[in-house]
Amino acid sequence: MSDDRQERPRILVTNDDGYGAPGLEALVRAVEPLGEVVVVAPDRERSGASHALTLGRPLRVWEAAPGRYRVDGTPTDCVHLGAFNLLGDGGPDLVVSGINRGLNVGDDVTYSGTVAGALEGTLLDRPSLAFSVETDDRGECDFEPAARFARTLCRRVLGEGLERGVFLNVNVPVGAARGVRVTRQGCRSYQAAVVERIDPSGRPYYWIAAAESTPDNDPGGDHQAIRDGYISVTPLHANLTHTPSLDALGRWGMEAP
Ligand code: MN
């Protein structure tokens, strides 16, 4: 980073709840004191978009205000366009995604557009973080504690950087957090949660609902941290290889047909 960039780093903010989401505003306010903020966010909710990149049609960008862009694409599209086109001059020094309404822990990470925004930042070799908050019994969120933690953690990451290829998935529980735990990504078992109904012309349609699920109880996992009232910080990376399986599969002696 050049000296002025060191003093005033460029921070790309995206999300998957869409441009107007209150969590995005909270994250912008959180990181504004740390540098020059540019928002590049989907024009509508793209929760569950995962790491989709739009290839089959053009993308449109609206500059809603100076340095505030709405894109008719996914969070991954937003980070991609932000880094290569909209920010110019070498792109962002930091990518932050969120603050998502609802947790992104365990297997849900693989569906998350919020996490994918940070993943894309990492693939473009920028330090990146994703932030999500737990909803309360009424389905509502208080973004402020997560925003305060985001400011502290982003300042630290701007100062120290992250290991290359690693990004942070941060989840904040309801209420006053008891502390912060560095965790592993957990897993959960899902029950079927697809609603089947009949449309007015007699054809069935299907609606995938928020699944009832049983989270694991790994004491070092992200689920347990949230259950215990701690902020969960999970270091993630893009490479999905399961290294322990390499030897066993190698011994299968697979041959080309
Ligand atoms: Mn979302």
Side-chain angles (χ1 to χ4, degrees):
M1 258 190 263
S2 63
D3 283 353
D4 60 317
R5 289 288 283 273
Q6 202 107 47
E7 262 169 46
R8 196 124 182 91
R10 288 246 201 101
I11 304 170
L12 193 166
V13 182
T14 193
N15 75 345
D16 78 353
D17 291 341
Y19 184 87
L24 181 77
E25 281 311 308
L27 186 54
V28 167
R29 284 197 303 276
V31 296
E32 250 168 357
L34 308 182
E36 183 195 339
V37 171
V38 179
V39 175
V40 189
D43 63 347
R44 70 201 77 174
E45 182 172 354
R46 301 305 302 261
S47 294
S50 188
H51 195 218
L53 188 65
T54 301
L55 299 172
R57 62 171 176 86
L59 291 166
R60 301 288 180 181
V61 178
W62 294 269
E63 190 167 10
R68 302 284 188 269
Y69 300 95
R70 288 190 298 128
V71 179
D72 65 343
T74 64
T76 300
D77 294 330
C78 291
V79 173
H80 210 80
L81 285 185
F84 290 120
N85 301 81
L86 303 174
L87 272 72
D89 192 25
D93 302 302
L94 185 77
V95 175
V96 290
S97 183
I99 302 169
N100 190 62
R101 186 181 165 284
L103 295 172
N104 279 303
V105 289
D107 293 323
D108 290 347
V109 162
T110 63
Y111 302 106
S112 169
T114 306
V115 172
L119 168 60
E120 185 64 7
T122 308
L123 294 179
L124 302 177
D125 221 1
R126 308 304 148 119
S128 302
L129 306 94
F131 294 94
S132 305
V133 295
E134 189 176 26
T135 50
D136 66 19
D137 297 342
R138 294 166 304 158
E140 285 168 23
C141 282
D142 177 9
F143 293 105
E144 287 318 307
R148 286 197 299 275
F149 185 67
R151 182 178 299 170
T152 308
L153 188 58
C154 288
R155 185 179 281 127
R156 179 108 191 223
V157 167
L158 280 166
E160 295 188 21
L162 288 170
E163 188 174 331
R164 197 163 180 202
V166 175
F167 64 103
L168 301 182
N169 181 34
V170 179
N171 284 276
V172 176
V174 165
R178 295 172 61 195
V180 181
R181 278 190 200 157
V182 177
T183 59
R184 280 185 287 274
Q185 181 187 342
C187 54
R188 54 172 61 201
S189 42
Y190 285 95
Q191 282 85 51
V194 179
V195 174
E196 180 179 344
R197 298 241 165 86
I198 303 297
D199 76 12
S201 62
R203 292 175 54 218
Y205 66 89
Y206 302 88
W207 199 322
I208 297 175
E212 278 294 309
S213 65
T214 315
D216 68 69
N217 44 22
D218 171 8
D222 48 12
H223 289 297
Q224 191 63 44
I226 295 294
R227 263 197 303 261
D228 290 344
Y230 285 77
I231 295 174
S232 167
V233 178
T234 309
L236 297 176
H237 62 156
N239 192 314
L240 300 177
T241 309
H242 184 247
T243 304
S245 292
L246 288 174
D247 283 347
L249 274 174
R251 285 193 296 273
W252 283 19
M254 291 179 267
E255 289 172 12

